[in-house]
Amino acid sequence: GAGVSQTPSNKVTEKGKYVELRCDPISGHTALYWYRQSLGQGPEFLIYFQGTGAADDSGLPNDRFFAVRPEGSVSTLKIQRTERGDSAMYLCASSQQGYTGELFFGEGSRLTVL
Amino acid sequence: AQSVTQLDSHVSVSEGTPVLLRCNYSSSYSPSLFWYVQHPNKGLQLLLKYTSAATLVKGINGFEAEFKKSETSFHLTKPSAHMSDAAEYFCVVSEPHSGGYNKLIFGAGTRLAVHP
């Protein structure tokens, strides 16, 4: 597709369950970012990939959160043992080069943990 | 560390009147600054960016912003609001990192309402 695609757009799960959120970046974009946006807040950085490797995962809140990008394209954000506080919009963005600062965002995956 | 402060959480204007969304930044470097817009159920979209060239930056949809180093401000303006401008606006500063990438630091956002 032309833009960044995120699936699912909405995910409702129960506390303690495992969740995967998928991001398909713009073709050819080597840089990929995950952000989390809580209600009424601006997006907060989670992790940055350059190619297949996580160059900066300093924003992941704890070890229940993990992300992969095995082939340098699609990325999956994985959340184990979900908690109600994990409820948020999870945003993925990509760019051609990591340092331009201009990111192209997907529409997000809204996660609700009951 | 870089940060941005958006001075208003909500701004309400009438259609056809000017828009002013205020942003102050804190940066120990010469910053790169951005404004992004988020319409309901849409992805964040870049409005404009400042990267140390002209201090008055023009963006899409008639928006512009002026970088004022002496005031550490990067306010967003538009001469005449349109109903379609109603959205959430984020002021963003770019934080450089070793490894050659910039981490974007977002403000808390300003919700713009436009009334007929």
Side-chain angles (χ1 to χ4, degrees):
Chain A
V4 177
S5 176
Q6 291 189 247
T7 54
S9 55
N10 273 288
K11 176 70 176 178
V12 180
T13 190
E14 293 180 344
K15 180 175 179 293
K17 298 290 189 182
Y18 170 80
V19 166
E20 288 191 351
L21 307 176
R22 175 189 167 106
C23 173
D24 198 343
I26 293 172
S27 178
H29 280 191
T30 57
L32 186 145
Y33 300 75
W34 284 98
Y35 279 78
R36 180 168 70 173
Q37 185 177 18
S38 301
L39 203 60
Q41 301 294 320
E44 294 179 313
F45 171 83
L46 293 177
I47 187 169
Y48 160 69
F49 286 90
Q50 180 60 37
T52 60
D56 183 353
D57 63 359
S58 62
L60 294 177
N62 51 60
D63 61 5
R64 295 186 299 105
F65 287 75
F66 190 71
V68 296
R69 195 185 184 200
E71 297 179 357
S73 178
V74 170
S75 176
T76 305
L77 178 66
K78 308 181 180 192
I79 311 173
Q80 299 177 322
R81 304 183 304 280
T82 51
E83 300 177 358
R84 293 193 179 87
D86 299 335
S87 297
M89 178 73 85
Y90 289 83
L91 301 171
C92 178
S94 69
S95 70
Q96 286 184 316
Q97 294 170 309
Y99 59 82
T100 66
E102 179 175 353
L103 303 186
F104 296 85
F105 283 83
E107 293 185 5
S109 292
R110 181 168 296 286
L111 174 66
T112 303
V113 182
L114 301 177
Chain B
Q2 329 293 319
S3 66
V4 289
T5 301
Q6 293 184 243
L7 300 173
D8 308 290
S9 58
H10 291 82
V11 170
S12 182
V13 300
S14 298
E15 190 175 21
T17 64
V19 175
L20 170 64
L21 304 183
R22 298 182 294 164
C23 173
N24 286 113
Y25 69 90
S26 172
S27 174
S28 41
Y29 308 90
S30 180
S32 292
L33 293 160
F34 309 78
W35 278 95
Y36 277 80
V37 61
Q38 188 176 38
H39 286 93
N41 301 315
K42 297 290 185 184
L44 285 156
Q45 181 184 20
L46 180 68
L47 267 182
L48 51 80
K49 64 179 178 180
Y50 166 78
T51 53
S52 76
T55 57
L56 182 63
V57 182
K58 294 187 182 300
I60 61 172
N61 300 334
F63 283 94
E64 61 183 38
E66 186 171 8
F67 173 74
K68 292 186 176 180
K69 186 176 181 179
S70 61
E71 300 177 8
T72 62
S73 69
F74 190 58
H75 301 334
L76 182 70
T77 60
K78 182 173 180 177
S80 176
H82 191 272
M83 296 296 290
S84 61
D85 294 328
E88 187 90 19
Y89 291 80
F90 293 96
C91 183
V92 183
V93 65
S94 182
E95 181 178 277
H97 280 259
S98 60
Y101 85 100
N102 287 329
K103 180 187 295 185
L104 297 189
I105 308 298
F106 285 75
T110 298
R111 182 163 297 277
L112 175 65
V114 182
H115 302 288

